[in-house]
Amino acid sequence: MSQTQSSAGAPATVAFIDLAGFSAIADVYGDAAAIDVLEIFESMVREALSGYGPPIKWIGDEAMLSFPEPEIAIQVVGALLQACRKEPRLPLTRAALNHGPVIRRANDPFGSTVNIAARIASLASPGQLLATRPIAEAAAAKGILTKDLGKVALRSVTGEVPLYEVELAPSPDPAWIDPVCKMHAPYRSYRRAAAEGPWFCSPRCEEAYRKSPQTYPLTR
C-alpha cells in the first residue's frame, strides 16, 4: 500500500491564513517592504505553532496549516489572529477553517476538505475568519461568537456549503480599514473622530487610492 493510500480519509482541520494587503504593500511600498512584513508574519505563525510543529505549507504570503481536530485549531489560530491584530506592522488577515477527511502525500494534505478551505479563504474579508459547520459548532461550544452566513456555492465544489463567521479575534471596523494596504487604525486612537471618507495609514496609500480607486474597493 502506498504512503498516500495508507493515510487516506484521516480527519484533519485545515486552515488557510494570509495577509489581506500583501500585494498592495509590494506594489505601493516595494518588494523589500513586503518581504519585511512577510517575515514578521512568518515569525508570528512559527511562534503560535510552537509545540504543534511547523506550518504544513507556505504559498506566497499564505500559510496552510493542519491540526488533528477543530478544538486545537481554534486555540492555535485564535491566538495567532489575536496576536496579528495587535501587531501594528501587519495588515489585517483573512482566514478559513474546515474539518474533514484528507489524503496526505509527503505530509501535505490534499482532497475536498483542503479545496473547500481554500475556496472559503478566498471569500473572507480583511479581518474575517470563515468556517464550515464543524468548526462553528466547536467554537460555539466554547462560547465563541459565530454567525450563520447561509449556504454558498464554491468553485469546483458540488453542492452548496453552509458558511459561518467565527470571531476568534475582534471584528475590525470597516470605516477604519485602509482600502489599499488593509491596515486597521488603532480603535482607541480614532474612536472620537468621525469617519469621513476612507482612512489611510499614510500619504502613499492615499495617493495610490486617489490615482486608481477602482483598484482598491472599500471594505463593507
Side-chain angles (χ1 to χ4, degrees), residues 73-116:
I74 288 169
Q75 178 182 342
V76 176
V77 174
L80 172 61
L81 297 183
Q82 291 177 39
C84 288
R85 282 295 303 277
K86 295 176 182 177
E87 174 50 69
R89 295 170 294 177
L90 289 186
L92 291 169
T93 57
R94 295 179 299 197
L97 285 169
N98 184 31
H99 182 79
V102 300
I103 298 172
R104 292 188 182 275
R105 184 173 184 271
N107 205 36
D108 281 355
F110 291 88
S112 178
T113 297
V114 177
N115 294 340
I116 289 173

Side-chain angles (χ1 to χ4, degrees), residues 24 30 33 58 65 111 115 125-126 128-129 139 188 190 215:
W58 282 98
L65 316 176
N115 294 340
S125 299
Q128 188 178 44
L129 167 66
R188 292 182 181 277
Y190 291 88
T215 304

Side-chain angles (χ1 to χ4, degrees), residues 26-150:
D27 183 53
V28 175
Y29 295 91
D31 292 338
I35 292 300
D36 288 343
V37 169
L38 180 58
E39 289 178 348
I40 294 169
F41 181 51
E42 289 175 340
S43 175
M44 296 180 73
V45 171
R46 287 194 298 269
E47 182 176 350
L49 287 168
S50 177
Y52 295 94
I56 293 295
K57 184 182 293 185
W58 282 98
I59 310 166
D61 67 308
E62 184 174 57
M64 183 176 73
L65 316 176
S66 179
F67 303 92
E69 57 188 34
E71 289 77 10
I72 295 176
I74 288 169
Q75 178 182 342
V76 176
V77 174
L80 172 61
L81 297 183
Q82 291 177 39
C84 288
R85 282 295 303 277
K86 295 176 182 177
E87 174 50 69
R89 295 170 294 177
L90 289 186
L92 291 169
T93 57
R94 295 179 299 197
L97 285 169
N98 184 31
H99 182 79
V102 300
I103 298 172
R104 292 188 182 275
R105 184 173 184 271
N107 205 36
D108 281 355
F110 291 88
S112 178
T113 297
V114 177
N115 294 340
I116 289 173
R119 300 288 186 264
I120 292 173
S122 69
L123 300 177
S125 299
Q128 188 178 44
L129 167 66
L130 298 180
T132 52
R133 181 173 289 149
I135 308 299
E137 290 176 347
K142 290 177 172 290
I144 298 170
L145 183 64
T146 64
K147 180 180 180 182
D148 188 344
L149 301 179

Side-chain angles (χ1 to χ4, degrees), residues 151-177:
K151 294 183 178 180
V152 298
L154 302 175
R155 180 169 57 87
S156 302
V157 176
T158 302
E160 294 186 323
V161 176
L163 194 61
Y164 298 82
E165 181 177 5
V166 180
E167 193 171 306
L168 294 187
S171 296
D173 184 344
W176 298 109
I177 299 176

